[in-house]
Every structure is written in C-alpha cells, then in structure tokens.
Amino acid sequence: MSRHILIAIGIVGTIYLPPICAQNAPEEGRFNFSAGGGLTVPLNPAATFSGVGGAFLGSAGYNLSRHNSLLGQFMWNGLPPTVGARAQLFGFGASTNLFSITANYKFRANAGKTFGYYLITGGGWYYRHTSVSRNVFENGPIVCNPIWFWYGFTCTDGDVNTIGVATGTSSFGGNAGIGMTVRLGNSPWKFFLESRYIYAASRAVNTQAIPVIFGLEYQ
C-alpha cells in the first residue's frame, strides 16, 4: 500500500511542481539589452605589438525562448602599443582600436532565482583602425620593421613607404565566450561578468584578444 501512495505522490508532484517553479521564477520579456565595459587582453601575434587596453560592449536582442537568444552587438577594444613597440616607433605616438558589429547566439541557464550563466558565440565585421601621431617621413626615411605591418603600413627597399598617418583594415571575424549573471532582486535587471575570445582575420597581422567585460543587462 505504501508503495502505491509513494507512486501517487510522485505523479502529483510531477504534474504540479513545474507550474509552482514557474510562478517563483521571474518573468522574462521578449527583448534584451546590455551595456558594459572592462579590459582587453591581446593574444599573440597582437600581443607582440599591443598591451592591455579598455573595452566597451553594447547589445540588443530578442529572446527566442527561456534559454535561447539572438543579439546584435557593438564592441570597442583598445589596443595601445607596448613599451617595446613604442621603442620601434622611434618616438612617434600611435594607437590602435578594434571596432566590431556582430550577430550572436546566446544560450542562457539559471542556477536558482538569483544566479545564472550563459554561453555566447557569433561573428561579423571587425575593423582595426590604427594611427600615428605625426608624419613618419618628418625626420627622414624610417627603417621597416614588423611594428609597421601591425599599423597597416607597407615597405619598399627596406623603408616605410607611406606618408599616411592613419590606416584601417576590415575583415570577418568570430567570437565565443562564457559569462555569469546575478539578478538584482525581482527585477529584470542583471549584473553580468563575461570573458570572450575574439579572432579577426585582419590584413598583415591577424587580431586575437580576450576582453573581460562587466555591466548590466535587461533580460
């Protein structure tokens, strides 16, 4: 008899437990937004020329279901020259910024009412813009070395052969990462922290970096 009672309790629990959990779980809308900032850590070969810089992320998307979302994202990554790179630039100031517009898929899961995690991946357009603070021919010809390829310049007969002070390279790239979230009370707002790997097939020297970003999202 006791076995039949346990089976009956199990059936009733199976029927009524999901609705109870759903009532306790915060409601989620169809649209999501997020914005945040942090640091960008370059990887080789980019790390040969660039050090740690800033990062900014902004996104908007649509929730397909409780666990699946599509997002359009804009990201900026700063890639300032390293100490060694500055020495190769013969005193010229320089900067590098990576801009991207990507489409991404996001898988979300909750670990209770407050905490959650997600996986994200996608790809799109990456534009690496570099600039030198003054004309490279101001003090005569500059000997060609690898740093100038990173900044988009070319060489002829061993000398840098451009008079331009700004260059850019557009390419397709991809990204993949993981993040965690903390819901703020019963609101749809969450604090997020994520780490992501970026690869862009930039001309001359490809761009690889890991931005670590924290911010707020509306989910």
Side-chain angles (χ1 to χ4, degrees):
M1 179 65 70
S2 59
R3 186 179 66 178
H4 292 90
I5 293 175
L6 291 175
I7 294 174
I9 292 174
I11 295 174
V12 172
T14 302
I15 295 174
Y16 287 101
L17 186 56
I20 291 173
C21 293
Q23 290 173 5
N24 291 331
E27 289 292 332
E28 293 189 347
R30 282 298 184 185
F31 299 96
N32 60 75
F33 311 92
S34 65
L39 298 175
T40 299
V41 180
L43 303 176
N44 284 326
T48 304
F49 313 107
S50 295
V52 177
F56 170 80
L57 172 68
S59 71
Y62 184 78
N63 299 324
L64 299 173
S65 66
R66 184 176 179 80
H67 297 291
N68 303 283
S69 300
L70 297 178
L71 303 90
Q73 294 190 323
F74 166 81
M75 185 181 287
W76 163 78
N77 302 101
L79 298 169
T82 62
V83 174
R86 291 192 185 98
Q88 295 184 58
L89 290 170
F90 302 99
F92 292 98
S95 65
T96 301
N97 295 283
L98 180 68
F99 303 93
S100 63
I101 297 176
T102 59
N104 299 272
Y105 164 74
K106 188 175 185 180
F107 173 81
R108 302 175 289 113
N110 294 323
K113 181 180 177 181
T114 302
F115 298 98
Y117 69 91
Y118 61 86
L119 304 174
I120 187 167
T121 186
W125 175 72
Y126 288 80
Y127 177 71
R128 193 178 75 201
H129 181 268
T130 62
S131 63
V132 177
S133 61
R134 54 181 176 160
N135 194 320
V136 297
F137 281 111
E138 185 173 306
N139 296 321
I142 302 300
V143 177
C144 182
N145 56 48
I147 188 66
W148 297 106
F149 292 107
W150 167 256
Y151 283 99
F153 298 129
T154 57
C155 301
T156 300
D157 298 327
D159 294 330
V160 179
N161 65 357
T162 179
I163 61 174
V165 295
T167 62
T169 170
S170 294
S171 62
F172 177 80
N175 68 84
I178 186 171
M180 62 168 290
T181 60
V182 180
R183 186 177 294 277
L184 304 180
N186 291 319
S187 74
W189 290 97
K190 299 178 183 178
F191 171 83
F192 74 88
L193 173 65
E194 76 167 44
S195 177
R196 198 181 303 196
Y197 168 75
I198 292 175
Y199 175 86
S202 308
R203 184 179 66 247
V205 181
N206 64 57
T207 308
Q208 299 185 57
I210 296 179
V212 178
I213 298 175
F214 60 92
L216 292 175
E217 70 174 19
Y218 178 91
Q219 192 73 62

